Amino acid sequence: MMHRVLLVFMAAAGVSVLGLPRLEASPPGGEPCAAPLQWEGRWVMYDHSTGRNSRAAVSYDGLNQRIRVLQQHKKHTPCQRFFEYIYLYQSMVMFQIDQKTKDCSKIALTEDWDPFDIPANSTFEEQYFIGGPGDDVEVQEWSDRKPARQHETWVGVYTLKDCYPVQETYTRNSSVTTSTRFLNLQLGISDPDVFTPPTTCQSARPERMLELEC
């Protein structure tokens, strides 16, 4: 999949697209913060290879290595099919469910679980407030940049207070591949049953369904 889904993060002058750096902030003295293991909210994922945004409701369960993604309907996208995706990494399978017909595909996952967090060996980039004067959402930006490598392949922005993900960006061959913004996150899982595939998946097809129907 997956998935780590992430955003264009540098402006031409080297200033973060989320806001100006907090000049008085000093680099953290210890390890990166620990992100919540279970949360619900929304994300906007931008695929740079297709130029398409995907908006979805998301339930994230890091304890059991599973994610449920429910695509949001957009009336201005004719021929678009909308799906529910259930990623079960402990079983290494993904279920794709057509929201309208409930048709189901069961597909083997080929990439290992990659949690939404800041890896312990990450490099601190900067700390700043999102927005302008009076805004109080302070975040830290981390990357996998290393001295022996010229470019980052991952950049993550997480809130300073509670370590919620704000945005993540992945790159490959110096080009951004996927960008993700996280919105309206709430701690915990309100309904654990969202990770249970519907009964139609008992006779699931082995191939992925197409996103367009005309």
Side-chain angles (χ1 to χ4, degrees), residues 43-93:
W43 72 29
V44 181
M45 182 188 300
Y46 180 68
D47 187 327
H48 291 256
S49 64
T50 63
R52 295 176 57 188
N53 278 303
S54 177
R55 301 176 182 272
V58 180
S59 298
Y60 170 79
D61 182 6
L63 288 174
N64 299 292
Q65 299 184 358
R66 54 189 185 175
I67 300 176
R68 185 256 197 162
V69 178
L70 184 65
Q71 290 184 323
Q72 295 182 333
H73 289 257
K74 296 176 289 184
K75 296 181 180 180
H76 57 279
T77 53
C79 304
Q80 180 73 44
R81 300 172 69 184
F82 294 92
F83 295 98
E84 174 185 4
Y85 296 92
I86 301 175
Y87 298 87
L88 304 176
Y89 277 85
Q90 291 184 348
S91 302
M92 291 302 290
V93 296

Side-chain angles (χ1 to χ4, degrees), residues 87-105:
Y87 298 87
L88 304 176
Y89 277 85
Q90 291 184 348
S91 302
M92 291 302 290
V93 296
M94 182 270 283
F95 293 92
Q96 178 194 27
I97 303 106
D98 187 307
Q99 293 186 31
K100 183 177 180 181
T101 66
K102 302 305 178 182
D103 288 343
C104 182
S105 293

